[in-house]
Amino acid sequence: MNWKNALTFFCTLFAATATFAQSAPGKTLTPGKHNFTLQWISWDVPGKINITKNADGTFAAKGDQYSDDKKDFVTIDGTITQTSPAELVFTGTIRTRYSNVNNGAVCEKTGTYHFLSKGARKYWRLQEMDNCEGNNVVDYVDIFF
C-alpha cells in the first residue's frame, strides 16, 4: 500500500468514526420523562426528570428523586442545551440533600453546569460534582438517555 492509499484509508476511517460519534444512538436528548439519580439515594429506584423542547431549541428540565422517607433528595430546574452527543450544558438550580453529607444541610448550586456521557455510559453525569461540604465529597447527579 503506498502512502496515498494509506492516507485515503485513514482519512475515510477517521470521517466514518467522527460521523458515528456525532450520531451515537441514545445520546440525543429527547423530550419526555427520563430517569434521574443521585447516588446517595439510589441508582436502583430512580427519580424522573421531565424534558420539554423550547421554541429556541433548548430544553426545559425539571425533576427530582426522593428517598423513601422523603428526607433526602435531588431536584433540578432549569434549561439544557445539548452541545454534542456527549455534553449537556445546564443553566438553573440543582439542590441535593443527604442526611450523612454536609451535616444534613441542603447543597444548592445555581448557575451553569456541565453533564457528560463517557464511554458506554447510558447517562450524562454532572461534572461540577463537589458537594457543598467539601472534603472531597462528591454528588453523582445523572440524567439518563
Side-chain angles (χ1 to χ4, degrees):
M1 179 181 279
N2 66 36
W3 70 271
K4 287 182 182 179
N5 288 342
L7 180 61
T8 301
F9 172 78
F10 285 111
C11 287
T12 303
L13 181 62
F14 176 77
T17 302
T19 300
F20 175 77
Q22 289 176 349
S23 63
K27 288 192 174 185
T28 300
L29 187 63
T30 57
K33 290 192 184 284
H34 297 261
N35 287 342
F36 179 64
T37 60
L38 172 66
Q39 93 277 14
W40 304 115
I41 300 172
S42 173
W43 278 309
D44 296 328
V45 183
K48 295 293 182 187
I49 182 171
N50 191 38
I51 305 292
T52 55
K53 192 157 190 175
N54 296 324
D56 64 1
T58 63
F59 296 87
K62 186 174 179 102
D64 55 47
Q65 179 189 26
Y66 284 89
S67 61
D68 289 339
D69 63 8
K70 305 291 187 216
K71 292 180 181 178
D72 300 321
F73 61 85
V74 58
T75 64
I76 189 167
D77 190 0
T79 303
I80 294 175
T81 302
Q82 184 163 21
T83 58
S84 75
E87 183 177 19
L88 306 177
V89 176
F90 171 80
T91 302
T93 301
I94 300 170
R95 299 175 73 230
T96 61
R97 183 198 181 276
Y98 186 69
S99 56
N100 295 327
V101 174
N102 196 31
N103 295 316
V106 173
C107 179
E108 184 171 307
K109 297 177 181 181
T110 299
T112 299
Y113 301 96
H114 303 85
F115 286 80
L116 291 180
S117 176
K118 298 177 182 177
R121 290 181 176 170
K122 303 288 186 204
Y123 54 84
W124 295 277
R125 174 163 287 164
L126 177 66
Q127 298 303 290
E128 295 83 6
M129 56 182 73
D130 289 341
N131 183 278
C132 297
E133 174 179 310
N135 299 319
N136 295 317
V137 175
V138 296
D139 294 328
Y140 295 144
V141 178
D142 300 330
I143 300 170
F144 288 77
F145 302 157

